Amino acid sequence: MDFNQSVDENLFDRARIIGKPHARIDGALKVTGTAPYAYERNDVVENHLVGYPLGASIAKGRITRMDATAARNADGVAAVITALDIDELPRPASNDAKLFGGDIVEHYHQAIAVVVADTLEQARAATSLIEVEYEQTPGTFDLDDAWKRLQDRDVISEVGDVDAAFERAEVTMDETYHTASQSHAMMEPHATIADWSEGKHLTLWTSNQMIEWSRQGLSKIFGIDADTIRLESPFVGGGFGGKLWVRADAVLAALASRETKRPVKVALPRPFIFNNATHRSGTVQRLRIAANKDGHITAFDHSAISHTLPGGAGEDAVNQTRCFYAGESRRTAHHAIDMNLPESADMRAPGEASGLAVLEIAMDEMAEKLGMDPVEFRILNDTQVNPEEPHKRYSDRHFVECLQKGAEVFGWGERSKTPGSKREGQWLIGQGVAGAYRGAITMDSGARVRVSEGKLVVETDMTDIGTGSYTILAQTVAETMGVTMDEVDVRLGNSAYPVSSGSGGQFGAASSTAGVYAACLALQKEIGKRLNVESPRFENGRVLAGDQDVGLFEIEGEELIGEDTLHFGDFQDEMELGTFGAHFVEVAVHVYTGETRLRRMLSVCDAGRILNPTTARSQVLGGMTMSIGAALSESLNIDTTRGFFTNHDLAGYEIAVHADIPEQEVIFLDTLDGAATPLKAKGVGELGICGGAAAVANAMYNATGIRLRDYPLTLDRMLDRLPAI
């Protein structure tokens, strides 16, 4: 099915199920511990072994010697595979870091061996018996030092005469900011059970967001036909972008199974994940804004650097500055610095999460210079077109309404306009605001729907990473086919099913529901052919056409199947599609210790039709919570001498927890975007993290009068500037 033009009124505008709150249909499995996660799939194979990885203890160099004799002779050990035993495996285009093989070490905790044994304890103990010697070479690990030395900027875009605009400007600001490197820190570790025991067909029960991407990646890595590879990932315990691609767990488990001719399970230990898997790169950003005295912005100049292994893209923190606010002139530049740190790659809202954390502080700083209210300043500089390409209008944009609704509900008008002036006992009270933006990406997505034993069975390789995919796909089928939710059976995460969009980039929900809708229409066509009728209606489990009225599950004959892929047309290239929001935050900062406590947070979101307010709200709350962690505590601390992240576990890497989040509220605007998908829906899973950190920073400034520009906003950064005791 081709989606080649915006849709007008359709069945989803008269919905009885889509757009309505519904509890997760997989919720009972999760809360009872019966949802089948990768490492726990003991039902799928018998007689499996357990693998445990060994990581490099240097950041750059080569392995000169490995002796695994003692490990191979240890109790219960079935095999030891070292990096020197095989040549370097080919890398898919998606992987910047080498996955296994060869003597070259590119980063700390690169996998250099796997021990396979009867039990986890035996495998883990035997890894300590492997002797490794290295030839170490100097590496580059300091992003701040790279910023100081950087001479040229990789200009991404330049519109208008930026330099002239700054010369003419009546008001300008120019500041430098830092965001920290961050870990996905998902609850479920990277884990895989692999069965390659018969040497031809490789099956992996794994934790992965993108089934087809990973199947093709494994085909490249091992040099085998993709049709001989099967992946299953029905439940994923969090990914946030960290499980988009093939990681070391899958590679090591597959190699170990081929070697031992038995199934092998491998989970990456938590301290291993932080340095072996991917993360969000830290950034250094310089942002200049020029404006007239009336508050209209005339120019942006935003440059940033981030780190990456050679060949990587880093964290493009300037992308949103190209299109979020009005302004005739703008220049953006991002330079990815090659460093010998672990691989930086996609993490929830890659680019915008880091970029808006800076842009939205700068917008507040500029509003203060202009003597304007921060909300009104943003409203004044709203745009309904892409400023770089003014012929491209936004398909549907309600950012101003987000700001206005949020200000009204939050009580913004009661905010103290003088920083540091509101106090309750020993606590300084402040409020802050920030805008949110994330592009509304869609990807082609396929599905199959079958009529089987009184159920409509949905099959697609779409994944559920905690987002509610099972539920919204069931809602889509129930709505389109005129049945109840209980009459729909959703099956996900299997490479034997039609290829979907997968989960990532905020495109999963919008794309996969469109794909399932296309499959439902294909099924309706097959039913029409079977009954020899045209344009049948589907209501209350019945098929209606003319004088025919037959139960959907009573149609006789061979099994009815509808399969299709929703292809998104290039008509969308002529417009700008995005999601928008506004965050409002209230904090209390202890006047003596600098401790910051979030008191309440409100997010107002514009993301087209909300498919399920219950699951969508959960997604936005999760993003808001991650933004609070990014603001106040999260930072991968780099040992700039040895080149690794020192706080590589959940004890040292401090994410926001329940006690940090007293009150959160989400409001969805009632909007529709017919250019986005046939359901007029857009993704919302990453919008919640965009801009939230800046709202916290702006609230802290309003509370204390101390402007912090380096994340995380820890108390040590302002202790010497708090009021004297």
Side-chain angles (χ1 to χ4, degrees):
M1 175 180 175
D2 294 328
F3 183 59
N4 287 325
Q5 62 182 18
S6 299
V7 294
D8 296 320
E9 185 176 353
N10 60 19
L11 71 94
F12 298 107
D13 297 318
R14 304 178 297 277
R16 59 191 177 86
I17 298 173
I18 280 288
K20 305 299 189 290
H22 198 291
R24 296 172 188 263
I25 61 175
D26 55 321
L29 293 176
K30 292 184 174 180
V31 298
T32 58
T34 53
Y37 291 95
Y39 197 73
E40 301 160 352
R41 298 295 300 274
N42 298 321
D43 58 311
V44 295
V45 291
E46 296 179 350
N47 196 32
H48 70 262
L49 296 165
V50 181
Y52 195 87
L54 177 67
S57 60
I58 66 168
K60 186 181 181 184
R62 56 183 290 269
I63 304 167
T64 58
R65 173 179 169 272
M66 294 187 76
D67 187 345
T69 304
R72 291 188 169 101
N73 293 330
D75 289 344
V77 171
V80 178
I81 305 171
T82 75
L84 298 186
D85 294 334
I86 63 174
D87 293 334
E88 180 183 341
L89 295 171
R91 308 183 205 192
S94 55
N95 292 75
D96 300 325
K98 63 184 295 187
L99 291 163
F100 195 73
D103 63 341
I104 301 300
V105 175
E106 295 180 343
H107 66 88
Y108 183 83
H109 265 181
Q110 175 183 305
I112 60 171
V114 60
V115 176
V116 189
D118 294 330
T119 69
L120 170 66
E121 292 77 12
Q122 290 171 331
R124 181 173 57 199
T127 59
S128 65
L129 303 177
I130 299 175
E131 298 177 9
V132 187
E133 295 178 2
Y134 303 95
E135 181 182 285
Q136 193 166 351
T137 54
T140 304
F141 314 117
D142 193 330
L143 193 63
D144 285 332
D145 183 62
W147 173 261
K148 295 171 185 175
R149 291 185 288 103
L150 185 65
Q151 299 296 318
D152 299 320
R153 301 192 299 174
D154 293 341
V155 175
I156 297 173
S157 66
E158 186 163 6
V159 176
D161 192 333
V162 174
D163 295 331
F166 274 92
E167 289 177 3
R168 294 192 304 266
E170 296 171 310
V171 182
T172 64
M173 63 83 60
D174 182 352
E175 297 291 350
T176 299
Y177 308 79
H178 293 74
T179 65
S181 293
Q182 298 167 359
S183 172
H184 305 84
M186 70 291 287
M187 186 177 294
E188 180 199 23
H190 298 73
T192 297
I193 299 175
D195 188 358
W196 206 355
S197 53
E198 50 86 24
K200 183 178 180 182
H201 292 92
L202 170 60
T203 302
L204 296 99
W205 296 269
T206 189
S207 182
N208 191 277
Q209 299 175 227
M210 305 291 294
I211 298 298
E212 182 62 14
W213 288 6
S214 295
R215 191 171 74 104
Q216 295 298 329
L218 288 162
S219 172
K220 173 72 177 293
I221 291 166
F222 293 120
I224 59 177
D225 193 324
D227 290 339
T228 66
I229 302 172
R230 181 164 65 92
L231 269 73
E232 289 190 25
S233 190
F235 287 90
V236 180
F240 310 115
K243 297 175 181 175
L244 289 172
W245 324 108
V246 176
R247 305 311 314 170
D249 58 301
V251 174
L252 297 179
L255 289 172
S257 178
R258 185 175 64 179
E259 176 73 15
T260 61
K261 295 180 170 53
R262 288 171 62 182
V264 175
K265 62 163 47 177
V266 173
L268 300 186
R270 186 68 67 178
F272 196 80
I273 291 172
F274 281 78
N275 281 287
N276 174 269
T278 60
H279 67 282
R280 189 198 306 278
S281 168
T283 70
V284 184
Q285 303 178 45
R286 181 187 177 192
L287 184 54
R288 299 195 299 153
I289 303 176
N292 296 326
K293 286 183 179 179
D294 63 4
H296 285 93
I297 293 173
T298 57
F300 287 98
D301 186 7
H302 191 178
S303 60
I305 65 168
S306 60
H307 68 77
T308 178
L309 285 170
E315 176 83 354
D316 179 5
V318 303
N319 186 54
Q320 71 291 318
T321 309
R322 300 177 62 181
C323 61
F324 193 20
Y325 291 110
E328 291 183 5
S329 301
R330 67 195 61 219
R331 179 168 55 218
T332 59
H334 171 247
H335 196 94
I337 304 293
D338 287 348
M339 287 192 169
N340 308 108
L341 291 167
E343 181 177 356
S344 66
D346 296 332
M347 180 172 160
R348 196 174 198 169
E352 283 90 343
S354 301
L356 284 162
V358 166
L359 174 61
E360 290 301 300
I361 291 181
M363 288 295 287
D364 257 43
E365 294 195 70
M366 195 65 179
E368 185 176 43
K369 281 177 172 283
L370 290 160
M372 294 184 66
D373 179 89
V375 170
E376 294 303 322
F377 179 55
R378 289 171 170 84
I379 290 173
L380 180 66
N381 288 286
D382 184 48
T383 177
Q384 290 297 318
V385 301
N386 181 334
E388 290 191 356
E389 301 176 87
H391 68 280
K392 293 177 65 171
R393 294 191 61 81
Y394 278 98
S395 58
D396 194 63
R397 173 177 168 135
H398 301 276
F399 178 48
V400 169
E401 290 90 332
C402 290
L403 289 163
Q404 292 172 333
K405 182 68 173 179
E408 175 191 350
V409 173
F410 193 75
W412 182 256
E414 300 174 6
R415 164 183 174 268
S416 173
K417 295 179 174 58
T418 304
S421 63
K422 187 173 182 180
R423 183 165 172 168
E424 295 179 7
Q426 295 183 345
W427 296 91
L428 299 168
I429 311 302
Q431 296 178 348
V433 65
Y437 164 80
R438 180 73 167 128
I441 309 166
T442 49
M443 296 183 65
D444 292 357
S445 193
R448 180 166 55 237
V449 182
R450 300 186 288 111
V451 182
S452 178
E453 300 179 352
K455 293 269 191 179
L456 288 174
V457 179
V458 188
E459 296 172 333
T460 171
D461 80 355
M462 178 62 182
T463 50
D464 191 318
I465 61 175
T467 46
S469 301
Y470 280 99
T471 307
I472 60 172
L473 295 183
Q475 289 177 273
T476 304
V477 174
E479 190 71 63
T480 308
M481 299 302 298
V483 300
T484 67
M485 293 274 286
D486 292 337
E487 294 171 307
V488 182
D489 180 9
V490 181
R491 301 176 184 177
L492 302 181
N494 191 320
S495 62
Y497 301 155
V499 175
S500 72
S501 62
S503 298
Q506 197 176 263
F507 53 68
S511 302
S512 63
T513 50
V516 166
Y517 171 65
C520 286
L521 295 187
L523 176 61
Q524 290 182 357
K525 185 178 293 186
E526 292 300 313
I527 292 171
K529 290 179 183 178
R530 178 73 57 87
L531 299 177
N532 196 28
V533 298
E534 293 185 4
S535 304
R537 304 191 317 277
F538 295 81
E539 299 174 7
N540 301 316
R542 313 291 296 178
V543 184
L544 309 173
D547 58 358
Q548 288 207 46
D549 181 348
V550 60
L552 175 60
F553 302 114
E554 298 169 4
I555 300 172
E556 297 180 350
E558 296 180 356
E559 184 180 49
L560 287 159
I561 302 174
E563 181 175 335
D564 204 350
T565 295
L566 196 290
H567 300 284
F568 290 91
D570 56 10
F571 80 100
Q572 293 179 334
D573 296 340
E574 299 305 311
M575 61 188 76
E576 200 71 37
L577 281 79
T579 60
F580 310 92
H583 301 292
F584 292 82
V585 166
E586 181 175 288
V587 301
V589 180
H590 198 279
V591 69
Y592 301 137
T593 68
E595 176 189 355
T596 298
R597 293 184 183 176
L598 182 82
R599 304 218 318 182
R600 57 191 178 106
M601 184 175 188
L602 165 69
S603 293
V604 183
C605 302
D606 166 30
R609 171 173 280 120
I610 300 302
L611 300 169
N612 182 334
T614 299
T615 56
R617 177 179 180 273
S618 177
Q619 282 297 287
V620 176
L621 288 176
M624 292 161 66
T625 301
M626 289 183 74
S627 75
I628 294 163
L632 296 178
S633 60
E634 291 190 42
S635 174
L636 284 170
N637 301 323
I638 302 171
D639 182 327
T640 56
T641 300
R642 299 187 60 198
F644 72 102
F645 300 126
T646 59
N647 53 334
H648 48 191
D649 57 34
L650 293 180
Y653 183 79
E654 297 176 345
I655 62 173
V657 297
H658 287 295
D660 299 317
I661 316 292
E663 180 184 333
Q664 290 176 310
E665 184 179 358
V666 179
I667 296 174
F668 294 114
L669 297 186
D670 185 15
T671 62
L672 303 173
D673 193 340
T677 78
L679 285 75
K680 305 180 183 178
K682 295 183 280 196
V684 75
E686 298 185 341
L687 186 62
I689 195 175
C690 295
V696 175
N698 292 333
M700 291 173 66
Y701 173 73
N702 182 246
T704 64
I706 301 170
R707 175 61 73 186
L708 300 180
R709 301 183 180 90
D710 298 336
Y711 292 99
L713 311 170
T714 48
L715 59 85
D716 57 294
R717 301 188 191 277
M718 57 181 170
L719 271 177
D720 60 346
R721 290 183 279 171
L722 287 169
I725 298 176

